[in-house]
C-alpha cells in the first residue's frame, strides 16, 4: 500500500545490507534490528508496539536456523515479513452479518476524522456487493452535517433517514432501525457526531445509542495522519464502547502508516476499512467549496450552451478553493497511476484569471471575436505573452467541448486526464 511506501523503502535498505553480508553474526542481527526499530518509530508506529515487534523478530532471527543458514539475510527478511503480517492480522477482517437483518453499523470517532464520508463509502461498497444499505443522519450538532450525508446518499443512490437536527440521536437511531426493517434494508449505517473521548456527556450519548439499537459493528473512524494520537483515541473509545474494528481515513502517500500497524496491536481490534481519496471525497470537497447559487446558475447556462470565459474563470476559482489539482485528480478512480510523476503547474490558475480579467466584457462573452490584434492587446494588459493567451483560449475551447459532452451524459470524470493536461 502507498501508506507504507516510506517504511518499505527503509526496510528494503536494511535488508539489502543483510543479504550482502553472506554469513550473519548475532551482532549483525542486533544492528539490523536497531535500524528496523528506528524505521518503525519514524513511520509513527507506537513505541511499545515497535519494541515488542523487534523483540519477537530478534528472538527468532538469532536462532541457529538463521545464523547457520546458507541464506541468513533472506531468512531474516522472511521473519520480518511474517511478523508484520501477524501484526496487521493474517486473515482479512470482514463485516459482521446479523442473522436478523438489518446489520447495524455504528460510526464513531473524533470530529473531522471522516465519519460521514466513510459512512457513504461503506454504503457504496455494500451496494456494489449486492446489498441494500440505508444511512441514518445522527449528527445533529455539526452545521450542515445532515445535508452533507444527504448529498453523499444522493450521489450513490442510497436513502438517508433523518429527523432533522431537533430530535435526539438516540431517537434517530431507533426510528432509523424501524424504517430499515420496513423497507427491507439489510444494512443500517448510523452516522454520529464527532466527539472527544474525554467528553463525558457525548460519550454517554453513544452508550445510549448502543443500548437502544444494539449495533453489530461499532466502527471507530480514525484519521491516520494523527499518528500516535490516533492510537490513544482508539484505546479510549475501545475501553468505553467496546469497538469491533477501525476505519482508517486520509491514507495517502504522505501518511507514514504507523497508526495502521499500531491500532491493531494495541486494541486487538482489526482495521476493517482503509479510506483513500475517491469520488465521494471529491463530492464532499466540492460541496464545501461551492457557492450553491452560482453553481446552479452556471449549470443552467451550460445546459443552454451559454458557457463563457467568465464561467471558465469562476470554475478555476472553485477548483483552486478545493485544493491542488494534483490532489483533486488523485481522488478520481483510475487516475492514481496516471498521475504518478506528473506535476500540475498551479501558477496557470493565477495566470488564466489575469488574462481573462484583461479582456473586455464582449470578449469574455464571445471569445470567437478575439483576433490577433486583440490577443496582442490582452497579452500586454495582463503582462503575459501572446502564446499564453493562445494557450488559455485553447484550454477554454477544450472545456467547452467537455461541457457539451457532460450535457450529453458522457460524464466529466472520463476526461480527467484531459483536464489535468490543461494545467501542466
Amino acid at each position: 500500500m502507498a501508506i507504507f511506501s516510506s517504511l518499505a523503502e527503509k526496510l528494503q535498505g536494511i535488508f539489502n545490507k543483510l543479504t550482502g553480508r553472506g554469513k550473519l553474526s548475532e551482532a549483525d542481527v542486533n544492528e539490523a534490528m536497531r535500524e528496523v526499530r528506528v524505521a518503525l518509530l519514524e513511520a509513527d508506529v507506537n513505541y511499545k508496539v515497535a519494541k515488542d515487534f523487534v523483540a519477537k523478530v530478534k528472538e527468532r532471527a538469532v536462532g541457529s536456523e538463521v545464523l547457520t543458514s546458507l541464506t541468513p539475510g533472506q531468512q531474516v527478511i522472511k521473519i520480518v515479513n511474517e511478523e508484520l503480517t501477524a501484526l496487521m492480522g493474517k486473515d482479512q477482517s470482514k463485516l459482521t452479518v446479523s442473522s436478523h437483518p438489518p446489520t447495524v453499523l455504528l460510526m464513531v470517532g473524533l470530529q473531522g476524522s471522516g465519519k460521514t464520508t466513510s459512512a457513504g463509502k461503506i454504503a457504496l461498497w455494500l451496494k456494489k456487493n449486492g446489498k441494500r444499505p440505508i444511512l441514518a443522519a445522527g449528527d445533529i450538532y455539526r452545521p450542515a452535517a445532515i445535508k452533507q450525508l444527504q448529498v453523499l446518499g444522493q450521489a450513490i443512490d442510497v436513502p438517508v433517514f433523518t429527523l432533522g437536527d431537533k430530535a435526539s440521536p438516540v431517537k434517530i437511531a431507533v426510528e432509523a432501525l424501524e424504517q430499515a426493517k420496513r423497507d427491507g434494508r439489510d444494512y443500517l449505517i448510523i452516522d454520529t457526531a464527532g466527539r472527544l473521548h474525554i467528553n463525558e456527556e457525548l460519550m454517554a450519548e453513544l452508550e445510549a445509542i448502543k443500548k437502544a439499537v444494539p449495533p453489530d459493528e461499532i466502527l471507530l473512524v480514525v484519521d491516520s495522519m494523527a499518528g500516535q494520537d490516533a492510537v490513544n483515541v482508539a484505546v479510549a473509545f475501545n475501553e468505553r464502547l467496546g469497538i469491533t474494528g477501525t476505519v482508517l481515513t486520509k491514507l495517502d502517500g504522505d501518511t507514514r502508516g504507523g497508526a495502521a500497524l499500531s491500532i491493531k496491536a494495541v486494541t486487538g481490534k482489526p482495521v476493517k476499512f482503509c479510506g483513500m481519496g475517491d469520488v465521494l471525497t471529491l463530492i464532499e470537497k466540492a460541496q464545501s467549496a461551492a457557492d450553491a447559487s452560482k453553481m446552479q446558475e452556471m449549470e443552467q447556462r451550460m445546459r443552454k450552451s451559454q458557457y463563457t470565459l467568465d464561467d471558465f474563470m469562476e470554475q478555476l476559482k472553485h477548483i483552486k478553493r478545493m485544493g491542488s489539482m494534483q490532489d483533486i485528480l488523485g481522488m478520481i478512480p483510475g487516475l492514481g497511476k496516471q498521475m504518478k510523476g506528473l506535476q500540475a503547474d498551479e501558477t496557470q490558475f493565477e495566470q488564466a484569471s489575469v488574462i481573462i480579467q484583461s479582456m473586455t466584457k464582449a470578449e469574455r462573452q464571445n471569445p470567437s471575436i478575439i483576433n490577433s490584434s486583440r490577443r496582442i492587446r490582452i497579452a500586454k494588459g495582463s503582462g503575459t505573452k501572446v502564446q499564453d493567451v493562445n494557450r488559455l483560449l485553447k484550454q477554454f475551447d477544450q472545456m467547452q467541448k467537455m461541457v457539451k459532452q457532460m450535457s450529453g451524459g458522457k460524464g466529466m470524470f472520463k476526461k480527467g486526464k484531459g483536464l489535468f493536461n490543461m494545467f501542466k
Side-chain angles (χ1 to χ4, degrees):
M1 290 179 68
I3 58 169
F4 298 120
S5 58
S6 178
L7 175 59
E9 287 176 8
K10 291 176 183 176
L11 290 178
Q12 189 59 52
I14 298 168
F15 294 157
N16 288 341
K17 292 183 194 175
L18 287 177
T19 54
R21 288 183 182 176
K23 288 289 183 180
L24 295 180
S25 67
E26 186 171 342
D28 292 330
V29 173
N30 287 338
E31 179 186 350
M33 289 307 101
R34 280 195 295 271
E35 292 184 30
V36 167
R37 184 173 64 180
V38 170
L40 291 172
L41 292 174
E42 288 180 347
D44 229 354
V45 174
N46 177 270
Y47 174 78
K48 185 178 184 302
V49 173
K51 181 181 177 182
D52 292 346
F53 175 84
V54 168
K56 288 179 182 178
V57 173
K58 182 179 176 181
E59 184 179 359
R60 294 179 58 188
V62 297
S64 59
E65 73 275 11
V66 172
L67 296 184
T68 61
S69 169
L70 293 175
T71 57
Q74 292 178 7
Q75 290 285 68
V76 174
I77 294 171
K78 179 173 178 287
I79 291 171
V80 171
N81 181 61
E82 290 173 352
E83 292 297 331
L84 275 174
T85 301
L87 194 61
M88 284 297 290
K90 294 182 180 179
D91 301 318
Q92 182 180 0
S93 184
K94 299 179 181 179
L95 283 179
T96 299
V97 179
S98 174
S99 57
H100 301 286
T103 297
V104 179
L105 311 181
L106 181 62
M107 312 294 290
V108 302
L110 300 184
Q111 187 171 9
S113 58
K115 288 181 304 304
T116 302
T117 306
S118 295
K121 290 177 182 178
I122 294 174
L124 178 59
W125 177 79
L126 288 169
K127 184 182 175 185
K128 286 182 177 179
N129 283 276
K131 307 302 180 184
R132 300 184 68 246
I134 181 172
L135 293 157
D139 183 352
I140 63 172
Y141 305 111
R142 181 167 62 89
I146 296 173
K147 181 62 178 177
Q148 179 190 1
L149 191 64
Q150 289 174 323
V151 169
L152 294 179
Q154 184 177 17
I156 61 176
D157 194 24
V158 170
V160 176
F161 179 86
T162 176
L163 294 177
D165 58 5
K166 303 304 179 185
S168 74
V170 175
K171 180 178 175 62
I172 293 170
V174 170
E175 295 198 16
L177 179 58
E178 293 174 355
Q179 184 69 47
K181 290 178 179 178
R182 285 194 297 270
D183 294 348
R185 298 283 164 177
D186 43 22
Y187 278 88
L188 168 62
I189 305 172
I190 305 173
D191 185 29
T192 64
R195 64 205 69 213
L196 292 173
H197 53 284
I198 57 175
N199 187 314
E200 177 61 32
E201 183 179 351
L202 290 180
M203 290 301 290
E205 181 180 87
L206 286 179
E207 289 177 323
I209 295 175
K210 178 182 177 181
K211 184 177 180 180
V213 183
D216 300 285
E217 293 271 14
I218 300 178
L219 299 177
L220 174 66
V221 182
V222 179
D223 180 346
S224 60
M225 296 178 72
Q228 292 302 300
D229 286 340
V231 179
N232 298 332
V233 167
V235 171
F237 269 85
N238 185 46
E239 290 177 348
R240 189 68 184 263
L241 293 171
I243 64 173
T244 59
T246 57
V247 178
L248 293 180
T249 64
K250 304 178 187 177
L251 292 171
D252 52 36
D254 296 326
T255 305
R256 289 178 285 181
L261 291 171
S262 304
I263 290 176
K264 168 68 167 61
V266 172
T267 66
K269 303 301 167 65
V271 176
K272 297 214 170 186
F273 288 93
C274 291
M276 299 287 188
D278 63 8
V279 172
L280 284 185
T281 306
L282 183 58
I283 291 170
E284 178 188 24
K285 204 173 183 71
Q287 185 72 13
S288 63
D291 181 323
S293 59
K294 285 185 179 179
M295 291 299 108
Q296 190 171 18
E297 289 174 10
M298 189 181 298
E299 182 182 355
Q300 291 174 350
R301 289 197 297 275
M302 285 180 178
R303 293 182 185 279
K304 296 177 182 178
S305 298
Q306 296 174 345
Y307 185 73
T308 69
L309 275 164
D310 285 324
D311 295 324
F312 185 45
M313 185 167 68
E314 186 62 36
Q315 282 188 315
L316 293 182
K317 290 179 180 178
H318 175 56
I319 292 172
K320 188 68 175 174
R321 288 195 294 269
M322 288 169 63
S324 71
M325 178 65 80
Q326 190 85 8
D327 291 340
I328 294 166
L329 293 180
M331 296 176 190
I332 303 174
L335 287 185
K337 293 182 179 178
Q338 297 176 30
M339 293 293 296
K340 190 173 182 180
L342 297 175
Q343 295 293 327
D345 185 357
E346 302 292 338
T347 61
Q348 291 292 325
F349 287 106
E350 302 300 333
Q351 187 182 77
S353 296
V354 172
I355 291 174
I356 294 172
Q357 288 168 354
S358 297
M359 298 177 183
T360 65
K361 183 176 180 180
E363 289 167 342
R364 293 197 300 271
Q365 294 295 316
N366 183 17
S368 63
I369 68 173
I370 303 178
N371 54 25
S372 57
S373 61
R374 287 175 183 264
R375 295 181 189 219
I376 293 172
R377 190 204 81 243
I378 293 168
K380 288 182 179 179
S382 59
T384 60
K385 300 176 181 177
V386 173
Q387 296 96 308
D388 297 323
V389 177
N390 291 338
R391 183 173 59 246
L392 172 70
L393 293 173
K394 181 179 179 181
Q395 291 168 355
F396 173 72
D397 183 59
Q398 290 176 338
M399 182 63 81
Q400 272 191 319
K401 292 177 181 177
M402 288 172 63
V403 166
K404 290 179 182 178
Q405 289 174 340
M406 287 170 64
S407 62
K410 293 185 179 180
M412 181 176 179
F413 290 143
K414 291 183 180 179
K415 294 292 179 180
K417 193 173 181 181
L419 180 62
F420 169 76
N421 286 333
M422 290 165 58
F423 297 103
K424 72 174 184 176

